Amino acid sequence: EAQVTQNPRYLITVTGKKLTVTCSQNMNHEYMSWYRQDPGLGLRQIYYSMNVEVTDKGDVPEGYKVSRKEKRNFPLILESPSPNQTSLYFCASSLSGHNEQFFGPGTRLTVL
Amino acid sequence: KQEVTQIPAALSVPEGENLVLNCSFTDSAIYNLQWFRQDPGKGLTSLLLIQSSQREQTSGRLNASLDKSSGRSTLYIAASQPGDSATYLCALDQTGANNLFFGTGTRLTVIP
């Protein structure tokens, strides 16, 4: 089944403890992105990638890192999480900029 | 910076009604526009993608139009059903890099 998977789906952590949210797609898509969704603010893009080793900042990149060493994986790294990073995170992929984006199921992160 | 607005924020209609959801944007220099639906607690599902050069796209009971000059897109849903109840989001890509700007959505409830 063609899909975007994220792990973990739910995570509660404490301020300053480094964490990684994994994202993987099995559709051989070139493009991948990370978004966060917050009430009243909607979905905002954190980082995006157009190919392996090519990443760029989205609207709200502060406090996040990404890497794209393989086409199928695009992990989101929070080196020192803070409570304002409590949010619902989505990973997405698409074949190209012309094509629709497929979203993962989301990761709900709580930073205490 | 691109700003995307969706009004109303919430809408309730009786089953069987035809309805229109609105999306307006401030910068007409867009690459494409995409409509998504989001069910509670779930990820986003792409409904329709309109390229910059297109005026509309249709899929089943859904029709999306794009008028770049006026900064508007509409999503028309024919013969609404309770299963259409969800939040509908529009998103703009300005560069073709899947760097999406999202509206805050319209929460639709179709009453049986």
Side-chain angles (χ1 to χ4, degrees):
Chain A
E1 180 189 354
Q3 59 183 350
V4 179
T5 57
Q6 295 178 226
N7 282 293
R9 295 287 315 280
Y10 302 91
L11 179 60
I12 300 174
T13 189
V14 295
T15 298
K17 186 176 180 181
K18 180 180 178 179
L19 66 91
T20 299
V21 183
T22 65
C23 172
S24 182
Q25 49 90 8
N26 62 0
M27 295 170 278
N28 201 36
H29 284 173
E30 300 282 343
Y31 289 60
M32 297 186 76
S33 300
W34 275 104
Y35 298 88
R36 60 178 290 175
Q37 186 175 33
D38 302 288
L41 296 175
L43 277 138
R44 294 174 293 168
Q45 192 174 54
I46 303 170
Y47 270 95
Y48 60 101
S49 169
M50 291 187 282
N51 211 328
V52 174
E53 303 291 1
V54 179
T55 63
D56 212 340
K57 295 178 180 179
D59 213 19
V60 288
E62 296 78 19
Y64 303 95
K65 284 175 57 177
V66 292
S67 68
R68 187 93 183 274
K69 295 188 181 345
E70 312 165 273
K71 185 184 275 193
R72 64 183 292 129
N73 295 322
F74 192 43
L76 179 69
I77 303 157
L78 285 71
E79 296 270 2
S80 184
S82 62
N84 65 11
Q85 293 178 298
T86 293
S87 187
L88 180 59
Y89 291 86
F90 289 102
C91 180
S93 73
S94 66
L95 189 60
S96 76
H98 294 285
N99 298 97
E100 64 184 314
Q101 287 204 29
F102 291 83
F103 277 72
T107 295
R108 186 165 293 282
L109 172 65
T110 302
V111 184
L112 302 174
Chain B
K1 180 184 169 183
Q2 179 73 268
E3 291 184 9
V4 185
T5 305
Q6 292 184 248
I7 296 173
L11 181 64
S12 289
V13 300
E15 181 177 2
E17 262 200 22
N18 302 325
L19 60 101
V20 173
L21 305 180
N22 296 297
C23 172
S24 60
F25 46 94
T26 55
D27 187 345
S28 62
I30 67 171
Y31 191 82
N32 60 45
L33 182 147
Q34 200 163 350
W35 281 92
F36 295 88
R37 78 174 269 167
Q38 184 175 25
D39 295 282
K42 299 203 174 168
L44 280 69
T45 301
S46 179
L47 298 172
L48 290 163
L49 172 68
I50 310 176
Q51 303 293 349
S52 176
S53 57
Q54 298 174 319
R55 299 279 296 182
E56 65 178 336
Q57 282 284 345
T58 298
S59 175
R61 294 182 295 108
L62 305 180
N63 175 275
S65 68
L66 174 63
D67 183 346
K68 287 193 304 178
S69 61
S70 65
R72 288 185 8 170
S73 176
T74 60
L75 178 67
Y76 174 82
I77 303 177
S80 57
Q81 303 170 357
D84 294 331
S85 298
T87 296
Y88 290 81
L89 298 153
C90 68
L92 306 179
D93 185 352
Q94 291 196 270
T95 63
N98 280 175
N99 177 217
L100 294 186
F101 289 93
F102 278 84
T104 50
T106 295
R107 189 174 69 252
L108 173 67
T109 303
V110 180
I111 304 163

